[in-house]
């Protein structure tokens, strides 16, 4: 359908002159007859006509002129338009308009007149604004130009907006038109940002506008959340995210705080469903189930984590973290988070990005705050009680998302940061604590990712801080390390040395639980028992054959420490019931008895390495106790117990 009646269309040969004349005519009418301008903007159908003979063609052109006038709020022209009722006319256009303004897509028909042919209609559909967008653009221009405090004209404008706001937003909610489509340029992005930008500005100019959008019947937050779900750029993502997130986490701008001090906002239990309503429908009219709603929200985060960077990504991380906190009872959301491989793969890419940039970091380099936030999200989800029911899917998707590889790539800058060792230890602790609960499939996947010498060695070196004397590793496990004993800060502080010393212990415990040494092939990914030979230097690492021995390049960096690390595994022995659960499903291949080293063999190797006698004696006592009376869950395991107590005292957040 053409944007105005065919019999009113000018010949194409006269079209430029026609437009020029109309612009001049309506520029004068804005100055001298603003009421006629307002009446013309009430024409929301191509067949409409005012008593003066003005048509939809005039309305289409008028928007450009009124938009410019709105940028000058103190001008005589704009004051005249507001007094004549321009705000009401714009709101009614947004409520009632059914026809898009597509004047840019006119072509010449056989009669020499301007119209839209089929091809142009398709292009217009892809690129023309939603029917209500021109009115919203003018209103947004007007709001952005408002003074603080507002003038009498601006107060009148805001009051009229309040009167029509609910109906206008209801229309946008019911008919998103093409605004949720990706689009071929920035026009769709602008459409998805308009409403949130308008609210941001209006609440700054007049904080009482918060009462309008927070009324139980209002759909503003639902529309804004839906626009965020379909965002495709930094702009529409952040403008919508930063309107909703402060309402959920309480970190509101100062002008909101002042208003909420006298007019408290609704409780989160009432507010959250009104926001999440925005995910209840997509571009169609069919309602989504709770599971589909949760999956659509997680999918939006996946897209944005992979696309955003810098401050914008930080804001999105904050938004995700806030939804995790306020949605504690949303079982479907937590299930979707735990079961989304794409989410954890996206976080892997965030961590690796910083890791690759700093693979050989200069002295003093620290990881990007975004990397720390990404690691914090693993812990935030893993520690939430609502996630425990889905912990097997969660850990499996962490592994599918290559969490251990991500840590290996970025470990050097991570451990240099004060919070880095705490974050790494906490992630490994979640996996370690839940190992007996994991399915055989997930444990097998974890076994295939071990060992991780490229991650293990930097963690070990950082905890040793240059010390190379025999027994220094075991001193950390036994709790006799001088740095641990003399620590003056609380164990819940990230600067406590337990965090730098526990990460490698947890990684080693996971490794030797799923790949017992000696006896299991030391090559990553090999599922065979070891019976084909030992490393000739350490006599600890064992292989199923020469092929695995030849390809295990990572072993050489751990080789000098292997004798002592073998003793560490004696101290880290798990309770019998835990090991029975872990062995279930045949994940750990049985090692022939003749290929298993005796405790005497291990003792001889440690004595030859020069390990202090008192440390050897202490480990022998622990090993003997474990042999006679296997540890229960309530009995202390040196090193690991201390860490678990520390984890209980600290509340990991995503904030750096």
């Amino acid at each position: 359908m053409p944007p105005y009646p065919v019999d009113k269309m000018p010949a194409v040969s006269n079209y430029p002159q026609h437009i020029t004349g109309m612009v001049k005519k309506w520029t004068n009418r804005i100055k001298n007859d603003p009421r006629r301008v307002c009446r013309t903007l009430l024409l929301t159908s191509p067949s409409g006509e005012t008593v003066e003979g003005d048509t939809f063609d005039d309305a289409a052109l008028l928007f450009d002129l009124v938009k410019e006038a709105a940028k000058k709020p103190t001008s005589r022209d704009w004051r005249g338009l507001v007094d004549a009722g321009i705000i009401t006319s714009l709101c009614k256009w947004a409520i009632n308009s059914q026809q898009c303004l597509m004047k840019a897509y006119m072509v010449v028909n056989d009669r020499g007149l301007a119209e839209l042919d089929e091809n142009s209609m398709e292009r217009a559909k892809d690129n023309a604004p939603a029917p209500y967008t021109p009115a919203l653009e003018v209103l947004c221009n007007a709001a952005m130009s408002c003074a603080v405090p507002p003038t009498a004209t601006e107060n009148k404008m805001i009051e009229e907006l309040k009167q029509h706001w609910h109906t206008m937003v209801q229309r946008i909610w019911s008919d998103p038109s093409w605004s949720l489509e990706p689009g071929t340029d920035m026009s769709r992005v602008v459409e998805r940002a308009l409403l949130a930008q308008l609210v941001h500005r209006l609440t700054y100019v007049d904080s009482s506008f918060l009462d309008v959008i927070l009324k139980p019947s209002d759909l503003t937050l639902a529309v804004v959340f839906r626009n965020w779900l379909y965002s495709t750029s930094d702009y529409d993502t952040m403008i919508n995210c930063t309107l909703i997130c402060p309402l959920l986490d309480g970190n509101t701008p100062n002008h909101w705080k002042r208003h909420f001090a006298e007019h408290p906002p609704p409780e989160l239990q009432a507010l959250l469903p009104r926001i999440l309503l925005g995910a209840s429908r997509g571009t169609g009219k069919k309602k989504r189930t709770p599971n589909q709603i949760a999956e659509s929200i997680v999918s939006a985060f996946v897209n944005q984590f992979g696309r955003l960077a810098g401050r914008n990504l930080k804001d999105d991380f904050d938004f995700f973290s806030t939804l995790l906190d306020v949605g504690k009872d949303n079982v479907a959301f937590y299930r979707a988070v735990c079961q989304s491989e794409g989410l954890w793969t996206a976080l892997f890419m965030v961590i690796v990005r910083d890791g690759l940039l700093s693979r050989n970091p200069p002295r003093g380099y620290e990881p990007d705050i975004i990397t720390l936030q990404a690691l914090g999200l693993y812990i935030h989800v893993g520690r939430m009680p609502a996630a425990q029911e889905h912990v097997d899917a969660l850990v499996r998707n962490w592994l599918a998302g290559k969490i251990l590889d991500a840590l290996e790539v970025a470990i050097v800058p991570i451990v240099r940061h004060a919070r880095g060792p705490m974050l790494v230890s906490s992630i490994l602790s979640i996996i370690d604590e839940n190992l007996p609960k994991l399915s055989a499939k997930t444990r097998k996947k974890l076994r295939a990712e071990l060992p991780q010498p490229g991650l293990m060695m930097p963690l070990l070196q950082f905890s040793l801080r240059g010390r190379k004397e025999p027994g220094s590793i075991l001193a950390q496990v036994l709790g006799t390390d001088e740095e641990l004993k003399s620590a003056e800060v609380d164990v819940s502080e990230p600067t406590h040395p337990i965090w730098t010393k526990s990460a490698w212990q947890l990684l080693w415990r996971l490794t030797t639980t799923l790949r017992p040494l000696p006896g299991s092939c030391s090559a990553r990914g090999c599922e065979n028992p070891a019976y084909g030979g030992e490393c000739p230097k350490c006599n600890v690492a064992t292989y199923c054959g020469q092929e695995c021995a030849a390809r295990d390049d990572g072993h050489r960096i751990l080789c000098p420490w292997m004798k002592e690390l073998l003793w560490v595994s004696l101290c880290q022995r798990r309770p019998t019931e835990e090991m029975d659960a872990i062995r279930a499903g045949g994940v750990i291949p049985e090692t022939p008895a003749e290929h298993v080293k005796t405790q005497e063999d291990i003792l001889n190797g440690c004595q030859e390495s020069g390990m202090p006698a008192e440390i050897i004696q202490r480990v022998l006592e622990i090993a003997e106790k474990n042999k006679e009376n296997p540890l229960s869950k309530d009995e202390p395991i040196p090193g690991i117990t201390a860490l678990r107590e520390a984890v209980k005292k600290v509340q990991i957040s995503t904030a750096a």
Side-chain angles (χ1 to χ4, degrees), residues 23 202 283 292 359 369 399 483 500 510 513 650:
V23 169
L202 287 172
T283 53
Q292 290 171 332
R359 200 63 190 267
I369 186 174
L399 296 171
E483 189 178 16
T500 65
L510 287 168
T513 298
V650 67

Side-chain angles (χ1 to χ4, degrees), residues 506-564:
L506 284 163
L507 181 59
W508 186 246
R509 189 177 196 223
L510 287 168
T511 302
T512 55
T513 298
L514 293 173
R515 291 187 173 277
L517 287 174
S520 234
C521 184
S522 297
R524 186 191 303 184
C526 181
E527 296 300 319
N528 298 321
Y531 48 81
E534 300 174 337
C535 168
K537 293 184 178 179
C538 66
N539 297 121
V540 175
T542 51
Y543 300 94
C544 64
Q546 288 302 312
E547 184 178 345
C548 278
R551 69 180 178 86
D552 189 18
D553 292 336
H555 169 67
R556 70 179 187 278
I557 59 178
L558 278 179
C559 189
W561 302 99
M562 288 300 289
K563 284 187 173 67
E564 195 165 341

Side-chain angles (χ1 to χ4, degrees), residues 351 367 371-372 375-376 378-379 383 398 403-404 406-408 410-432 455-456 458-459 462 498-500 502-507 510 643 647 652:
I351 299 168
T371 299
L372 301 178
L375 294 173
Y378 283 88
I379 301 156
R383 292 287 180 208
W398 283 6
I403 177 59
L404 297 180
L407 290 174
E408 180 183 353
I411 193 59
V412 174
I414 286 173
V415 295
R416 286 183 175 182
H417 192 277
R419 294 177 71 247
M422 174 188 277
L423 292 168
V424 175
S425 291
S426 298
I427 291 172
L428 295 174
S429 178
I430 291 169
I431 299 174
D432 179 74
L455 175 58
M456 178 76 179
L459 291 172
F462 189 73
I498 192 172
W499 302 108
T500 65
S502 63
W504 72 260
Q505 294 180 48
L506 284 163
L507 181 59
L510 287 168
L643 172 67
V647 169
I652 302 290

Side-chain angles (χ1 to χ4, degrees), residues 219-528:
L219 292 167
T220 301
L221 298 178
V223 172
V224 169
F225 188 60
R226 182 175 66 183
N227 286 337
W228 172 83
L229 286 172
Y230 286 89
S231 58
T232 57
S233 81
D234 294 6
Y235 180 53
D236 54 344
T237 299
M238 289 304 105
I239 201 76
N240 290 296
C241 166
T242 53
L243 181 65
I244 295 174
C245 197
L247 292 170
L248 296 177
D249 65 13
N251 188 23
T252 58
N254 289 333
H255 54 287
W256 288 19
K257 282 187 174 72
R258 290 190 292 269
H259 181 79
F260 288 150
E262 298 182 6
H263 307 84
E267 295 292 328
L268 278 178
Q269 291 83 353
L271 192 59
L272 185 61
R274 290 163 49 192
I275 293 171
L276 299 185
L277 177 65
S280 64
R281 285 192 316 201
T283 53
K285 295 188 178 294
K286 187 176 180 182
K287 286 190 175 181
R288 292 172 171 150
T289 65
N291 286 342
Q292 290 171 332
I293 289 172
E295 288 166 5
S296 69
I297 295 171
V298 173
S299 178
F301 277 114
V302 172
N303 292 335
Q304 291 167 21
F305 289 171
R307 174 171 50 79
L308 299 175
R311 176 61 197 228
N312 293 332
L313 184 53
K314 182 184 184 304
D315 287 341
D316 230 41
F317 277 169
D318 289 340
F319 190 21
F320 183 65
S321 183
T322 299
L323 282 180
L324 289 171
D325 287 333
V326 301
K328 292 184 178 71
D329 299 324
N330 192 331
V331 176
F333 181 57
Y334 271 91
R335 184 190 301 113
V337 167
C338 292
Q339 294 182 348
S340 173
E341 181 179 330
L343 176 67
W344 304 107
T345 301
L347 288 176
F348 161 79
M349 293 306 300
V350 170
I351 299 168
V352 166
R353 239 179 307 178
D354 189 38
L356 292 176
L357 290 173
S358 56
R359 200 63 190 267
N360 296 302
R363 186 176 183 83
Y365 177 87
E366 290 189 348
D368 194 292
I369 186 174
I370 300 301
T371 299
L372 301 178
Q373 275 197 302
L375 294 173
L377 288 177
Y378 283 88
I379 301 156
H380 197 155
V381 174
R383 292 287 180 208
M384 294 295 280
Q388 285 305 301
E389 185 180 344
H390 312 287
V391 70
D392 182 62
L394 178 64
V395 174
R396 186 166 61 251
N397 284 315
W398 283 6
L399 296 171
K402 300 293 183 184
I403 177 59
L404 297 180
D405 289 344
L407 290 174
E408 180 183 353
V409 169
I411 193 59
V412 174
I414 286 173
V415 295
R416 286 183 175 182
H417 192 277
R419 294 177 71 247
M422 174 188 277
L423 292 168
V424 175
S425 291
S426 298
I427 291 172
L428 295 174
S429 178
I430 291 169
I431 299 174
D432 179 74
E433 289 174 24
N434 289 292
L435 191 58
K437 304 176 189 175
L438 302 182
S439 66
K441 179 180 177 181
T442 303
R443 292 197 304 274
K444 188 172 183 178
K445 194 171 186 66
L446 177 57
R447 173 181 159 86
E449 297 293 321
L450 298 170
Q452 286 273 347
L455 175 58
M456 178 76 179
M457 198 59 207
L459 291 172
L460 194 57
Q461 288 175 326
F462 189 73
S463 72
L464 290 172
R465 300 185 187 278
R467 285 172 296 178
K468 297 181 179 179
E469 64 274 13
S472 55
I473 290 178
L474 272 167
Q476 295 181 18
V477 179
L478 299 173
T480 58
D481 181 83
E482 286 301 319
E483 189 178 16
L484 277 172
K485 291 196 296 184
S486 62
E488 297 180 358
V489 295
D490 189 86
V491 74
S492 63
E493 292 295 321
T495 53
H496 194 284
I498 192 172
W499 302 108
T500 65
K501 302 176 187 306
S502 63
W504 72 260
Q505 294 180 48
L506 284 163
L507 181 59
W508 186 246
R509 189 177 196 223
L510 287 168
T511 302
T512 55
T513 298
L514 293 173
R515 291 187 173 277
L517 287 174
S520 234
C521 184
S522 297
R524 186 191 303 184
C526 181
E527 296 300 319
N528 298 321

Side-chain angles (χ1 to χ4, degrees), residues 594-641:
E594 62 269 21
H595 296 292
V596 177
K597 285 191 176 183
T598 64
Q599 189 166 300
E600 286 71 25
D601 293 332
I602 301 172
L603 176 60
N604 291 334
C606 287
Q607 289 173 332
E608 291 171 5
S609 68
M611 191 183 299
E614 61 273 16
I615 289 182
I616 293 178
Q617 183 59 39
R618 174 63 180 142
V619 177
L620 282 173
E621 290 172 2
I622 294 172
E624 192 61 31
K625 181 180 179 182
N626 289 354
K627 183 178 177 181
E628 294 176 358
N629 181 25
L631 293 175
S632 71
K633 290 182 179 179
D634 298 326
E635 290 182 289
I637 303 172
I640 300 300
T641 294

